[in-house]
Amino acid sequence: MRAYKFLLRPTVGQEAALRDMLRDHCSLYNGALQERRDAYRHSSKTSVKYGDQSAQLKEIRAFDPERHGCWSFSSQQATLRRLDKAFQAFFRRVKAGLTPGYPRFKGVGHFDTVTFAKDGDGCRWDSTPHDPQTRVRLQGVGHVRVHQHRPVRGRVKTISIKREGKRWYVVLVCDEVPPEPLPATGSIVGIDMGTVHFFTDSGGVHQENPKFLEAMAEELTAAQQHLSTFPKRTRRRTKKHRAAARKVAKLHAKIRRQRLDHHHKTALALVREHDVIGHERLNTAGMTKAPAPKPDPEQEGAFLPNGAAAKAGLNRSILDAGWGIFLGILAQKAESAARRVIPVNARNTSRTCPPEIGGCGHVAKENRVTQAKFECVKCGLVENADRVGALNVLYRAGLVLCDGA
Ligand SMILES: [Zn+2]
C-alpha cells in the first residue's frame, strides 16, 4: 500500500463544483447523524445501522437531484461509512466504560474530504491518458487538472479529494506497488533493540533515542500528574478537568506522530545502507512482559527513590512502545526496495560469546557483567554488551541466509 498526494488545479467553475460537492456530502453526513441521534434518544433506543442509511440513498438522490442526485453514489456511501465508523468508535468507548463525546455535526467549513472507494466508480484517475497533462475525473465536477510531481506506482484503489485551506488535493491509495530495488551495497547488519539506545548495530554504532521524546516524556509526566489531581469518577467534568485531559491526549498524539516520523527516517537509513538486516524476533507477549526496570550501576540517577523511578518507567514505556511498529515499517521499506529483513530467535543473544568476531560461543548469564559490558567467562573476550547482542543477531541471520541459499 502506498499513498500519493497531488495538488489539484481546478478551473473556477470546477472549484465551485468541488465546494458544492463538499457542502452536499456534509449535509448528507449531518442528516444521517440527525437520524441516528433521533433514534438513539427515542425511548425504544433503536439504533440505525449503516445498511439502513445506505439503502435510503436512492430515495434521497431521487428526492433531491440538484443537491444529491448529481454526485457519485459510492462517494456518498463512503461518507455514510465514515459516520458509521465514528459511531462504532463511540460505542466501543461506551462499552469500555469511558464517557466519550457523542459524534458531532460538522460545520461546512470543517468537512474537508470526500472519498471514492474505487477508481472507476464515480471518479477516474488519469482520465485523459493521451494528454501529457494528468487529470482526474470526478462525477459532477469534470476532468480536473492534477499537478502530478512524481509517477504513481501500483494500482489505484481509492481516490480522495481533500481541501486544505484554499488548496485542493487528490490523495491516491495504491496497492500492488512494485518494488524499486536499491543498488546493492554488499553490507549485512544485525541490530539489537535496546532501552538505553534505540538500537545498536553489529558495527557497534548506537542509534540513539530521539531527544525530543525525552523532553516530551517530561512534559507528559507533568500533564498526567496534573490530570491525576482531578477526581477519577465524576458525573460532569469541569472545564479545567476537560482541558487537562485534552492536554494529555494531545501530547500522546504528538509523541506518536514524532516517533513515527523518527521510525520512518531510521528505517530508511538502514535500508539504504544494507542489503540484509537481521533483528530479534519480537513476540508481542514478550514485549508486554519486558524486564522490569532494575537499578543500573552505570546509569546512576536513573532510578532514585524520589519519584524519579516512576518517571524513568514512563520514559521507558514511551521509548519502548515503538519497536513493533518500527520493525513493521522497516519490513515495508525493505520490501519496496527489494532488501531482505531476517527476524531471528532472540534467545540468549545477549549472553552468548559472539562467534561473529571470533568468540567461543559460550552461553552464560555471567558473561554479561553490567548493562554495558560483556566479558566471556570462558575465553575472556570483552566487548560492548549491546554490540554483542547485535553481533549474535547478525550471526543467526547469516545462518538463515546460508540455509536459504
Ligand atoms: Zn568466549
Side-chain angles (χ1 to χ4, degrees):
M1 291 284 233
R2 191 163 202 181
Y4 297 90
K5 186 175 172 187
F6 300 123
L7 186 66
L8 287 177
R9 299 195 194 286
T11 63
V12 175
Q14 288 172 340
E15 195 174 353
L18 285 170
R19 272 199 301 272
D20 288 348
M21 181 176 79
L22 282 188
R23 181 201 62 200
D24 296 343
H25 278 75
C26 179
S27 89
L28 178 68
Y29 185 94
N30 287 338
L33 173 56
Q34 182 70 56
E35 190 193 15
R36 290 202 185 212
R37 279 190 163 216
D38 293 345
Y40 189 69
R41 290 212 180 121
H42 192 262
S43 54
S44 66
K45 288 248 174 199
T46 38
S47 69
V48 179
K49 299 249 159 33
Y50 163 75
D52 307 331
Q53 297 199 311
S54 176
Q56 292 176 51
L57 259 182
K58 233 181 188 165
E59 285 168 45
I60 295 172
R61 289 166 63 90
F63 180 73
D64 192 348
E66 282 275 294
R67 292 201 53 176
H68 292 298
C70 57
W71 309 119
S72 145
F73 196 91
S74 82
S75 70
Q76 291 171 329
Q77 282 181 315
T79 296
L80 292 179
R81 230 175 278 127
R82 189 165 141 198
L83 175 70
D84 192 51
K85 266 193 189 156
F87 268 90
Q88 281 174 11
F90 169 72
F91 287 121
R92 208 163 38 238
R93 273 177 246 145
V94 168
K95 226 176 173 182
L98 303 167
T99 47
Y102 196 81
R104 291 193 205 174
F105 293 107
K106 296 215 184 259
V108 167
H110 294 277
F111 192 91
D112 292 319
T113 309
V114 168
T115 297
F116 299 83
K118 205 172 123 216
D119 186 17
D121 189 354
C123 65
R124 168 71 69 191
W125 170 247
D126 199 10
S127 57
T128 52
H130 300 298
D131 192 329
Q133 168 66 55
T134 309
R135 292 185 180 83
V136 60
R137 190 188 74 78
L138 305 166
Q139 183 176 334
V141 180
H143 299 267
V144 184
R145 289 199 298 156
V146 179
H147 178 65
Q148 190 191 340
H149 60 277
R150 61 188 181 119
V152 171
R153 293 171 154 272
R155 190 177 57 125
V156 175
K157 263 192 87 183
T158 69
I159 297 177
S160 299
I161 301 300
K162 212 167 177 245
R163 177 176 58 192
E164 282 180 19
K166 288 189 171 164
R167 290 169 176 242
W168 294 85
Y169 293 91
V170 59
V171 178
L172 309 175
V173 175
C174 298
D175 62 0
E176 293 170 16
V177 182
E180 299 166 64
L182 285 170
T185 62
S187 169
I188 159 169
V189 75
I191 60 173
D192 177 71
M193 317 294 286
T195 44
V196 180
H197 314 286
F198 185 58
F199 66 72
T200 300
D201 70 27
S202 44
V205 178
H206 302 303
Q207 171 76 41
E208 298 309 329
N209 278 304
K211 288 263 181 295
F212 61 78
L213 279 187
E214 279 171 45
M216 255 188 274
E218 269 174 41
E219 217 180 312
L220 180 60
T221 312
Q224 277 177 333
Q225 266 163 8
H226 179 58
L227 178 60
S228 68
T229 59
F230 293 94
K232 254 202 177 133
R233 287 172 179 280
T234 169
R235 283 184 73 83
R236 299 217 87 165
R237 286 181 165 189
T238 62
K239 224 174 178 175
K240 280 183 177 171
H241 190 174
R242 281 202 304 272
R246 222 173 12 246
K247 173 122 202 237
V248 168
K250 242 179 147 170
L251 277 168
H252 270 299
K254 196 168 169 190
I255 287 170
R256 242 193 330 270
R257 257 198 328 271
Q258 298 221 13
R259 189 171 50 207
L260 211 56
D261 183 55
H262 170 258
H263 285 350
H264 274 281
K265 286 184 182 140
T266 312
L268 189 61
L270 270 176
V271 163
R272 284 220 174 104
E273 213 176 314
H274 309 285
D275 293 346
V276 181
I277 301 148
H279 67 76
E280 304 143 83
R281 185 180 299 124
L282 295 182
N283 54 330
T284 16
M287 283 297 294
T288 49
K289 52 179 186 201
K294 278 183 215 150
D296 179 356
E298 292 202 350
Q299 277 276 109
E300 265 180 23
F303 302 103
L304 293 174
N306 59 0
K311 199 173 95 184
L314 179 65
N315 257 315
R316 191 190 193 91
S317 70
I318 286 170
L319 297 173
D320 287 1
W323 288 343
I325 296 166
F326 171 73
L327 292 176
I329 291 170
L330 180 65
Q332 234 174 37
K333 290 209 188 298
E335 195 190 329
S336 72
R339 299 295 213 212
R340 190 147 173 211
V341 169
I342 303 178
V344 301
N345 184 351
R347 195 180 157 82
N348 291 330
T349 44
S350 60
R351 297 171 173 184
T352 307
C353 185
E356 188 70 27
I357 51 166
C360 67
H362 180 63
V363 182
K365 191 170 72 186
E366 293 71 26
N367 283 348
R368 183 106 185 213
V369 188
T370 63
Q371 179 87 15
K373 190 180 175 193
F374 180 97
E375 185 172 0
C376 180
V377 291
K378 202 166 169 200
C379 74
L381 180 140
V382 176
E383 185 49 80
N384 171 279
D386 292 320
R387 189 183 174 212
V388 167
L391 283 164
N392 284 319
V393 167
L394 173 61
Y395 184 70
R396 291 177 193 186
L399 292 181
V400 174
L401 269 184
C402 288
D403 274 358

